[in-house]
Amino acid sequence: MFINTLQGEDVMKIKTKKVITEKEYLHYVIDNTDFLSISHDFIHVNHDTVHSDIALELHDLNNTTCANTWVDSKGETVFEVDIEEEITLTTPLPSMLHVWETEVLGREMKEVENKSIASQYTGCSTEFWLKEDSKMTLIWKDGKLI
């Protein structure tokens, strides 16, 4: 079951958020010209001080936010985009949760960083979850990429 997928047969696409430079952000906007709309907000935080920071969002044709720009607490502009990538079982992932089950200890899990599913797989593996900030996405279960 797992050996077939190691031969590169299973490929899946995942969306991840990535903070990029201003130049990369401008290229991203130019390359993705099918955006439907841009929205913005003025953020006012402190009662004594008026902030005029602007948060911009780019939306795709489904009105899904796919890029954000804002000013962080240090006063620096942050550019964040959703990147769609193809992954296989041998693709190293920044952070994932490996879940396995044994008869003796039952269900166990551990967080691994910068490793692939293939490098962590054992015969007892049941699930792998991609971890992003506070979000977890099931990406492998019972021998198959989801």
Side-chain angles (χ1 to χ4, degrees):
M1 165 166 72
F2 185 73
I3 292 172
N4 290 340
T5 58
L6 277 180
Q7 296 172 358
E9 293 177 15
D10 281 354
V11 175
M12 72 177 288
K13 289 186 178 185
I14 59 169
K15 277 191 177 182
T16 56
K17 292 194 179 299
K18 182 178 178 184
V19 175
I20 59 177
T21 66
E22 183 176 7
K23 184 177 180 180
E24 291 170 324
Y25 184 78
L26 292 172
H27 283 285
Y28 179 86
V29 171
I30 292 167
D31 292 343
N32 294 282
T33 57
D34 57 347
F35 290 124
L36 180 65
S37 65
I38 299 174
S39 63
H40 67 279
D41 282 321
F42 291 95
I43 303 169
H44 302 282
V45 180
N46 192 330
H47 294 293
D48 298 330
T49 308
V50 175
H51 294 277
S52 60
D53 299 341
I54 299 175
L56 293 175
E57 292 182 349
L58 296 176
H59 304 275
D60 64 14
L61 297 173
N62 297 322
N63 203 28
T64 303
T65 301
C66 45
N68 291 300
T69 306
W70 70 91
V71 178
D72 67 11
S73 59
K74 298 175 189 171
E76 297 179 15
T77 304
V78 178
F79 303 93
E80 181 183 73
V81 296
D82 287 345
I83 304 291
E84 189 171 80
E85 302 176 86
E86 284 189 350
I87 65 164
T88 66
L89 296 171
T90 58
T91 304
L93 299 170
S95 182
M96 68 179 166
L97 189 69
H98 176 198
V99 181
W100 68 94
E101 195 165 338
T102 64
E103 288 183 22
V104 176
L105 298 173
R107 191 174 171 107
E108 295 185 79
M109 62 187 79
K110 75 174 180 178
E111 184 176 351
V112 291
E113 294 180 352
N114 301 314
K115 303 283 183 182
S116 68
I117 292 172
S119 72
Q120 298 300 301
Y121 175 80
T122 69
C124 300
S125 298
T126 57
E127 298 172 351
F128 286 91
W129 294 78
L130 178 66
K131 290 184 66 181
E132 259 195 312
D133 300 322
S134 61
K135 179 182 168 188
M136 291 182 45
T137 306
L138 181 63
I139 57 172
W140 185 93
K141 183 172 181 168
D142 299 329
K144 296 182 182 175
L145 288 170
I146 303 297

